[in-house]
Amino acid sequence: WTNVVSPQFATITEALGLGFAEDGLTGWTGVGINGQGSEVWKTTDGGQNWTSVWPDPDTKNPANLFLNAASQSRTSVVVTGVADHLYSTDGSKFQASINDFLSPAQDIEVLPNNAGFGLISYSNKFNGVATSKAGMQWTNVDMGLGANNTYYPARYGAFPTASTWYVSA
């Protein structure tokens, strides 16, 4: 283990989850900065230096609490949040998912064989995993607890194989 010292991280309030591409150098995190709001930051040097890639500098910074990030490659990434989830297909320009009713999503994982993303979340109609190829639109896979999603909301998951998935609730 080695500490990665980044001067940019001294300026933020929180960063809860990181997602790195297969190169080990390109990564993303959702950060919160008191008095400024939320941003998505990107690194291309293994975390030494970070730059803001969302929101656009001309856009008002919306309030969100980003919870995690996952990447299939240096261009395909999803950042989950309490208010909404963002995705990018080029690694720099982010947009909100179009059926963004899955909140909060504390965990996002890459599915085996880079088959897309598994978002672990719940809503009043769904509790389990939502899948998406790139993060734009999600398909629900309910874990079958029915009305118990109030007491056992899906929180974290692991996808060791295409046919074996684990979800904690």
Side-chain angles (χ1 to χ4, degrees):
W1 292 95
T2 303
N3 286 333
V4 176
V5 180
S6 170
Q8 290 86 18
F9 266 80
T11 67
I12 65 170
T13 306
E14 59 82 17
L16 297 177
L18 299 166
F20 273 82
E22 71 282 350
D23 67 3
L25 298 173
T26 308
W28 297 264
T29 185
V31 303
I33 305 170
N34 279 346
Q36 294 181 28
S38 301
E39 296 181 6
V40 175
W41 284 7
K42 179 180 180 178
T43 182
T44 57
D45 63 6
Q48 298 290 324
N49 295 286
W50 296 83
T51 57
S52 178
V53 292
W54 183 90
D56 183 284
D58 299 327
T59 305
K60 184 179 180 199
N61 197 333
N64 198 353
L65 175 61
F66 291 117
L67 301 170
N68 209 345
S71 170
Q72 293 187 99
S73 68
R74 289 183 292 140
T75 58
S76 179
V77 60
V78 172
V79 179
T80 65
V82 170
D84 56 17
H85 315 302
L86 304 176
Y87 73 97
S88 178
T89 57
D90 70 1
S92 294
K93 295 180 183 115
F94 284 81
Q95 301 178 70
S97 299
I98 61 175
N99 62 335
D100 205 9
F101 51 86
L102 309 164
S103 187
Q106 291 177 272
D107 196 7
I108 179 83
E109 302 288 334
V110 175
L111 297 174
N113 305 316
N114 276 338
F117 294 97
L119 181 87
I120 297 84
S121 189
Y122 64 95
S123 72
N124 61 347
K125 298 178 183 177
F126 157 78
N127 190 24
V129 177
T131 62
S132 178
K133 185 66 180 163
M136 180 175 75
Q137 188 165 359
W138 299 92
T139 302
N140 300 336
V141 181
D142 193 86
M143 63 184 176
L145 292 177
N148 289 328
N149 67 352
T150 301
Y151 300 108
Y152 305 107
R155 298 286 189 195
Y156 302 97
F159 305 93
T161 72
S163 62
T164 303
W165 296 1
Y166 295 94
V167 174
S168 68

